Amino acid sequence: MTAPSTPRAARVARREELEREGAALDAEAARLGVVRFVTFFVALTPWVVAELWASVPDAVGFASLPLLALFALLVSRHRRLRARRARVGVGEELARRAVARIDRDWAALPEPGEAPERGAGSHPWAVDLDLYGRASLRQLLGPVHTPMGAVTLDGWLLDPMASEGLGARQEAVRELALDPGLCEAVAVEGALLDPVDPGALDGFLAWCAQPPIVSARAGLAAWILPALTLLLAVGDGFDLAPAWSWVVPLAASAVVAFRWGHRLHLDFARASSGVPGLRRYHRLFALWEAAPGETALRRRLVHALGEGDEAASAALGRLERLLDMADARFSSLHPALAIGLLWDVHVGRALDRWRAAHGARVAGWMESMGTLEALASVATLAAEHPDWAMPEVESPEHPPHFTATGLGHPLLPAGVAVHNDVALGPPGTALLITGSNMSGKSTLLRSIGLAVVMTGLGAPVCAGALRLTRCRLYTSMRVQDSLEAGVSFFMAELRRLAAILDAAPPTGSGDEPLLYLVDEILQGTNSEERRVAGRRFVRHLLRRRAIGAVTTHDLGFHEHPEVAAASRLVHFRESVATGGEGPGLTFDYRLRPGLATTRNALRLAEQVGLTDPDAAGDPVS
């Protein structure tokens, strides 16, 4: 069988393979269910016969035992089969979502979660660039299922150039993109986890940092008192010890259990925060520990998870077993265990030993896991778009610039996105984009901004090639007024532009340069004041050595000596076709040099019925 030729074909083939496997498992589970049912009733037959007919020896009833043992084995087999079916079902759903991402079929993807608080409207680019919500970059990336992975990925999205080591991140993404089996296994294991609230994770980490709870004296008593109770009870039974002497150590055990019970139960509850999700993380850690990879970043992250008995997966597996033992407090047999064996004290001592051995490392494990899961999410995007280019981030010695060949918008389907060559920089220059409504100006700005964000993720970008220097990104696009705050649209625009100016470092400061993207600058006021204020804004940024792009409908915006000398003029164009239903507009979304020469506002108005009343012959009152 030939390998699928495209990532989409590979995902479709994987989905179909899992569908067939799921159907086979369903059929096997149905057959096993019938066998279980028959085995159970056959197993009961000898016992029922022995009980109902006195002439049948009681020994016949023992014939039920082997069949009941077989029934128990079948139950265990059925449970493993259901677990396997659940994994196959999750894999099938993930493959279906991968196809939807590649097709940009946003309606077929699950409703995305809310953006973090930093991603609110005040963020410099989250809303403008569609980082969150329906049809967003966050939805295009591969899945993350743990709070640590989500926090890490959100941090990269909202501050992509903040951390060093972008090259190492790119290398790790490249390597993981070549191992889709690992990324799928991690995604499946994560999807099988129950959701864990970030607050519960914080509570668990706080528990890991706590000092021991159970004193050494209580731990010693937990061994001596139950053993003494048992010894004296046996001695009483054989008349080797005073009658009822075992009651004394049993009463002492009751005192110890009562004294420690409430405190230990609170400690167990803190340790179990996020149950059952956190308990099962050892399986997710085990996947990464078994695949350290070759790149420096990935090996460092996996090395931080430990090895052998000290590895995160082994330690968290032991913790899961201890917490299962702590759950005995919910059993009806708990009073007997708590007093007779001082069960809670033993479990508390074991949890103290676990915390002393591993507690200080848990936060580091979780941080490493979050980074690895975020890398897998980005690598999934890279694997699904092998034709995209990995950007080249140049050293700070290079003059600030953004130079892209064949740049497209990553959220548009492959057959719809139009690619253009775009260059921003050198410092002291600005790209001035003109063109009619709906011609592609805003889409181009978002393509630039998303390319910067995706570079910070370590992801490939929707382009043939991209070279850029590290920069601080700020945008002004989807500005909104606020009736509640008493802020007009124009004032909201001014505040956003002021924030961009504040973010632009003074010349010679040594800070990272600013890359700004401003759409329809100051459209909230009259044309003359818009032109004056807009030019002032651009001149400030030119003098601060920022690089960026501004779109405007004002064809005379550049007619100022300083702005004209620094502006590189480009435009989009539309075509007009006259038919039986009036003029129609088509756009090729191709960027061309120079100033726009066409306008389409009146033509668009006529298309929706806003014609000249005099030309239409309407009466004038």
Side-chain angles (χ1 to χ4, degrees):
M1 180 182 295
T2 59
S5 58
T6 65
R8 187 186 189 281
R11 298 302 189 273
V12 171
R14 179 59 175 160
R15 184 191 65 199
E16 292 173 347
E17 175 188 354
L18 291 170
E19 287 174 349
R20 290 191 296 269
E21 183 178 354
L25 289 173
D26 288 337
E28 185 179 353
R31 290 192 298 268
L32 189 57
V34 173
V35 174
R36 278 182 53 184
F37 181 82
V38 172
T39 301
F40 178 75
F41 281 95
V42 171
L44 290 182
T45 300
W47 180 81
V48 171
V49 169
E51 289 293 322
L52 294 181
W53 282 276
S55 59
V56 177
D58 290 341
V60 173
F62 289 105
S64 296
L65 296 180
L67 291 173
L68 288 175
L70 175 60
F71 174 75
L73 290 175
L74 291 174
V75 170
S76 177
R77 165 65 178 164
H78 207 181
R79 185 180 297 112
R80 292 194 300 271
L81 198 63
R82 287 198 301 267
R84 184 180 169 191
R85 180 64 181 92
R87 290 178 181 277
V88 169
V90 169
E92 179 184 333
E93 174 62 18
L94 290 174
R96 185 192 65 79
R97 293 181 187 179
V99 174
R101 286 196 301 269
I102 294 172
D103 291 343
R104 305 302 190 265
D105 185 3
W106 307 109
L109 293 168
E111 188 69 26
E114 294 182 0
E117 291 186 3
R118 288 184 61 197
S122 59
H123 189 273
W125 62 74
V127 175
D128 288 349
L129 301 182
D130 297 306
L131 295 193
Y132 294 92
R134 178 68 69 187
S136 65
L137 179 59
R138 182 65 179 80
Q139 207 174 19
L140 186 64
L141 293 167
V144 292
H145 295 101
T146 69
M148 308 87 69
V151 168
T152 302
L153 191 57
D154 287 337
W156 294 352
L157 282 167
L158 299 177
D159 205 356
M161 296 289 187
S163 62
E164 299 295 333
L166 293 182
R169 195 181 297 173
Q170 288 179 335
E171 290 177 358
V173 167
R174 280 195 186 100
E175 183 183 47
L176 283 168
L178 298 176
D179 192 357
L182 175 61
C183 292
E184 179 186 341
V186 168
V188 168
E189 199 62 59
L192 289 169
L193 296 173
D194 290 329
V196 177
D197 183 84
L201 176 61
D202 292 340
F204 174 70
L205 295 177
W207 175 85
C208 290
Q210 286 181 346
I213 297 294
V214 183
S215 66
R217 185 168 59 181
L220 182 62
W223 287 108
I224 293 176
L225 292 177
L228 187 59
T229 300
L230 178 62
L231 182 64
L232 291 177
V234 172
D236 184 12
F238 288 95
D239 294 329
L240 298 176
W244 299 100
S245 57
W246 54 271
V247 173
V248 176
L250 184 63
S253 295
V255 172
V256 173
F258 179 78
R259 177 185 176 189
W260 286 96
H262 179 68
R263 186 177 181 186
L264 285 172
H265 290 181
L266 288 177
D267 188 61
F268 296 164
R270 284 191 289 268
S272 298
S273 58
V275 168
L278 284 174
R279 292 188 180 186
R280 299 174 182 165
Y281 273 34
H282 67 278
R283 299 189 181 99
L284 201 54
F285 280 99
L287 287 173
W288 289 111
E289 291 164 6
E294 298 297 331
T295 58
L297 175 60
R298 184 171 159 191
R299 292 185 69 85
R300 176 175 64 79
L301 292 169
V302 173
H303 179 72
L305 303 181
E307 298 178 351
D309 291 339
E310 297 301 313
S313 61
L316 291 173
R318 288 195 294 273
L319 178 62
E320 179 181 357
R321 292 189 291 273
L322 290 174
L323 292 178
D324 285 339
M325 296 169 65
D327 283 349
R329 67 190 187 276
F330 302 121
S331 169
S332 59
L333 298 177
H334 177 257
L337 293 172
I339 297 174
L341 300 178
L342 287 177
W343 181 269
D344 293 342
V345 178
H346 283 293
V347 174
R349 285 284 287 176
L351 286 173
D352 281 346
R353 289 192 295 271
W354 187 95
R355 197 159 33 192
H358 307 292
R361 296 187 292 156
V362 173
W365 292 344
M366 296 299 179
E367 183 178 355
S368 295
M369 170 59 69
T371 303
L372 287 166
E373 191 181 24
L375 287 171
S377 173
V378 179
T380 299
L381 173 73
E384 292 171 357
H385 300 86
D387 55 329
W388 289 5
M390 189 65 75
E392 179 184 348
V393 182
E394 297 181 339
S395 64
E397 288 75 21
H398 287 80
H401 74 103
F402 175 101
T403 306
T405 302
L407 178 67
H409 196 298
L411 303 182
L412 293 174
V416 174
V418 176
H419 297 255
N420 289 286
D421 297 344
V422 183
L424 305 180
T429 65
L431 185 68
L432 188 63
I433 308 170
T434 56
S436 55
N437 298 287
M438 301 171 57
S439 60
K441 301 188 301 299
S442 301
T443 299
L444 178 65
L445 292 188
R446 293 192 175 93
S447 300
I448 296 170
L450 284 169
V452 174
V453 173
M454 294 169 73
T455 298
L457 293 177
V461 297
C462 184
L466 173 62
R467 290 185 299 109
L468 74 164
T469 49
R470 294 176 67 96
C471 58
R472 302 176 65 190
L473 176 66
Y474 266 73
T475 66
S476 177
M477 297 182 191
R478 290 182 175 133
V479 180
Q480 292 183 337
D481 58 1
S482 173
L483 181 63
E484 179 182 2
V487 177
S488 68
F489 181 84
F490 181 63
M491 181 55 68
E493 279 189 290
L494 289 177
R495 289 181 177 179
R496 183 73 71 90
L497 297 181
I500 293 176
L501 290 177
D502 290 341
T507 302
S509 66
D511 295 335
E512 288 184 352
L514 178 74
L515 190 157
Y516 61 90
L517 302 169
V518 181
D519 192 25
E520 301 295 349
I521 186 168
L522 291 174
Q523 57 184 310
T525 187
N526 64 77
S527 58
E528 183 58 35
E529 291 183 313
R530 176 173 65 242
R531 182 176 298 175
V532 173
R535 287 170 177 170
R536 290 177 182 175
F537 169 78
V538 171
R539 288 162 59 202
H540 274 294
L541 291 175
L542 291 173
R543 295 178 184 183
R544 296 191 184 188
R545 312 293 289 172
I547 62 174
V550 175
T551 71
T552 180
H553 283 290
D554 186 352
L555 300 183
F557 183 85
H558 68 292
E559 294 173 355
H560 179 280
E562 185 177 358
V563 176
S567 295
R568 187 162 63 89
L569 303 179
V570 292
H571 73 280
F572 289 98
R573 180 186 301 171
E574 79 281 356
S575 300
V576 181
T578 303
E581 297 182 359
L585 296 175
T586 59
F587 305 91
D588 61 10
Y589 307 110
R590 297 292 180 185
L591 195 61
R592 295 174 170 85
L595 198 66
T597 58
T598 60
R599 304 174 184 179
N600 67 14
L602 292 179
R603 294 192 183 100
L604 290 174
E606 290 170 359
Q607 285 188 344
V608 298
L610 297 181
T611 58
D612 183 351
D614 292 331
D618 288 353
V620 179
S621 58

